[in-house]
Amino acid sequence: LRLSEALLLMADTGVGKSSIFRAIELAVLHNPDVIEKGYGVGVLHLEETNSDTALGLMSIHAKKPFHLPDVEKTEEELRKAYDEVVNNDRLFFYDHFGSNDIEVVLNKIRQMVVMGCKYIFVDHLSIIVSDQSGDERKDLDEISTKLKTLTMELDIAVCCIIHTNRQGQARGSAGPEKVANVHI
């Protein structure tokens, strides 16, 4: 992941995009260069609560699926994973309850940058545009273009997830992958 660039992860619903995303988030958060520079990581998982996102990151770190109800876990294991992953001044979550408006999301990213974040993860663009009242294709193009502009303007890396349609293209549009520096 390079600053001033956008990465787009595209795949069908339910194939594990969010799990892969969490692993990347954790790798960036614990990357020695990122730590040395004091860069923060901003996380916007719009389909789940922040506590579920945190628990997912802690699960990957501990190599134990804390998020599953039938998995035995001790308070000590949870506290250790929490302290090693979440309890720091470099990981920021977006409290999105009640709003996924494009401008609100962009302003939250700007706020995260002011707080020191250089790596921003958005899971997923499709839910942002589904809350809009306009044309989904145009809304996807708009948010993608605005996110790409932010990457260059603010010298940040923005990583996004988007669902694909039945033809394997970004849902509603082919525009988001055109503005991403890397799409997988």
Side-chain angles (χ1 to χ4, degrees):
L1 300 176
R2 293 182 295 254
L3 299 181
S4 293
E5 291 191 358
L7 177 134
L8 181 65
L9 176 61
M10 298 187 327
D12 292 337
T13 303
V15 299
K17 294 179 302 296
S18 296
S19 296
I20 291 168
F21 223 47
R22 279 193 204 94
I24 296 169
E25 291 163 352
L26 190 62
V28 170
L29 183 66
H30 289 161
N31 180 293
D33 291 336
V34 174
I35 293 169
E36 182 181 318
K37 292 176 181 171
Y39 292 161
V41 175
V43 178
L44 298 87
H45 285 232
L46 303 174
E47 284 190 315
E48 62 189 18
T49 65
N50 289 339
S51 59
D52 286 346
T53 302
L55 198 57
L57 289 167
M58 292 163 49
S59 294
I60 292 169
H61 176 72
K63 298 178 176 61
K64 188 171 187 177
F66 294 137
H67 61 288
L68 297 178
D70 59 338
V71 170
E72 290 185 29
K73 51 199 165 271
T74 66
E75 188 66 35
E76 183 177 295
E77 286 176 307
L78 287 169
R79 172 51 71 183
K80 183 177 188 299
Y82 176 82
D83 286 341
E84 292 174 354
V85 176
V86 180
N87 191 16
N88 62 68
D89 61 355
R90 295 182 40 255
L91 180 62
F92 299 88
F93 295 97
Y94 170 42
D95 185 3
H96 58 84
F97 185 73
S99 177
N100 289 327
D101 178 81
I102 290 172
E103 290 305 319
V104 172
V105 170
L106 293 170
N107 286 334
K108 186 59 179 183
I109 291 171
R110 287 182 185 97
Q111 180 185 6
M112 288 177 160
V113 172
V114 168
M115 297 171 73
C117 294
K118 284 289 200 176
Y119 298 90
I120 308 291
F121 293 85
V122 182
D123 181 4
H124 58 87
L125 292 183
S126 306
I127 199 168
I128 297 171
V129 300
S130 70
D131 282 357
Q132 308 305 307
S133 58
D135 178 300
E136 182 176 346
R137 183 192 60 76
K138 288 180 182 177
D139 290 341
L140 275 171
D141 289 347
E142 176 188 356
I143 187 73
S144 300
T145 301
K146 287 181 175 183
L147 284 170
K148 175 57 181 171
T149 301
L150 274 183
T151 65
M152 295 181 297
E153 175 187 326
L154 302 174
D155 191 32
I156 59 175
V158 176
C159 307
C160 302
I161 288 178
I162 192 164
H163 294 149
T164 57
N165 61 22
R166 291 183 187 127
Q167 291 76 38
Q169 297 173 320
R171 200 174 107 199
S173 172
E177 65 265 29
K178 288 179 185 171
V179 298
N181 296 90
V182 178
H183 73 275
I184 45 178

